[in-house]
Amino acid sequence: MSNTFSNERKRQLVLFCKERNLHFKNLELLDLAFHHRSYSNENISHKHYNNERLEFLGDSVLGLATASFLYNDMRKNQEGDLAKIKSVVVSEKSLSPVALEFGIDKMLVLGRGEELSGGRNKPAILADCMEAIIGAYYIDQGFEAAEKYILSFIIPAVRKVQHDGGKDYKTLLQELYQKKSKQCPVYKTVEVSGPDHDQTFKVCVELGGVTYGPESGKSKKEAEQNVAKAAYEAIR
């Protein structure tokens, strides 16, 4: 594999490593992890230059590191408990917000079509890139370094699931509220802004005569989860 990139791209890659405390010897390998197949599909000279093989590898490394942590962390729990938590924390839903937090959306190399359709904010693309970076780091630095990187974001996710019982905030809010009332929370979208490919939703939730929010999200579902969390923490 070979690729050349500009000095500006090299600067971006070095900065990404510095911010995430990663130590790549081969920056080309890291750069490959950011290349979505939509780019290679549109550029003949990069026909096979995408992150899918790294994603395949990274998915297994992520699973092993997470399973190993859960095995040692939850010694009194049965296999089913470990499997349930693992499925949550390595999911697209869990990985994509971490990718945004890490600035991976800004580092992606996409084809023009995918770029125009809002690919930088698509959870599947972001989660796949997270796995590709893991695969690249495993090749470059070995399992121990890759495991350390993985646990930096997996442990907080595990703790959250352990604390919440593996339920989402809409479920938690409904269960808590229905202990006090026979009514269900009512969610209302109060604002949608931005272009079609990059919209922001604002949602409120009504509990009886009390309104909480609005809270924002890049999808209606995300905004509902965010306002549910705010309401749940307010009335708990």
Side-chain angles (χ1 to χ4, degrees), residues 64-175:
L64 176 59
T66 304
S68 178
F69 172 76
L70 291 171
Y71 179 83
N72 290 298
D73 185 65
M74 302 175 66
R75 294 180 180 274
K76 296 181 179 180
N77 292 75
Q78 298 298 313
E79 180 271 343
D81 297 330
L82 308 185
K84 181 180 178 181
I85 292 181
K86 177 175 176 286
S87 69
V88 172
V89 300
V90 303
S91 68
E92 176 184 302
K93 182 178 178 181
S94 293
L95 292 178
S96 55
V98 177
L100 287 172
E101 179 187 341
F102 286 3
I104 286 173
D105 55 319
K106 300 178 180 64
M107 298 292 293
L108 286 167
V109 180
L110 305 172
R112 177 173 171 77
E114 193 62 68
E115 184 80 68
L116 293 174
S117 67
R120 290 186 185 278
N121 292 305
K122 290 182 179 178
I125 292 177
L126 291 166
D128 288 350
C129 187
M130 283 286 290
E131 293 177 341
I133 293 169
I134 291 167
Y137 204 39
Y138 168 75
I139 293 172
D140 193 82
Q141 292 291 319
F143 180 75
E144 186 175 340
E147 182 183 39
K148 182 179 179 181
Y149 169 61
I150 290 165
L151 294 183
S152 72
F153 57 84
I154 283 294
I155 291 177
V158 169
R159 297 292 179 243
K160 181 179 182 301
V161 176
Q162 289 171 333
H163 179 266
D164 294 342
K167 302 174 184 176
D168 61 40
Y169 277 104
K170 288 184 68 175
T171 301
L172 289 168
L173 178 62
Q174 181 162 324
E175 291 179 352

Side-chain angles (χ1 to χ4, degrees), residues 9-25:
R9 181 64 174 177
K10 182 177 180 180
R11 186 193 67 79
Q12 292 172 350
L13 294 167
V14 169
L15 181 60
F16 179 84
C17 289
K18 182 178 180 180
E19 291 176 344
R20 303 273 68 82
N21 196 29
L22 299 174
H23 305 281
F24 270 89
K25 291 182 291 187

Side-chain angles (χ1 to χ4, degrees), residues 3 9 31-37 39 46 49-51 109:
N3 185 40
R9 181 64 174 177
D31 187 54
L32 176 61
F34 292 113
H35 278 68
H36 186 252
R37 68 175 178 272
Y39 181 83
H46 292 73
Y49 194 84
N50 61 60
N51 64 9
V109 180

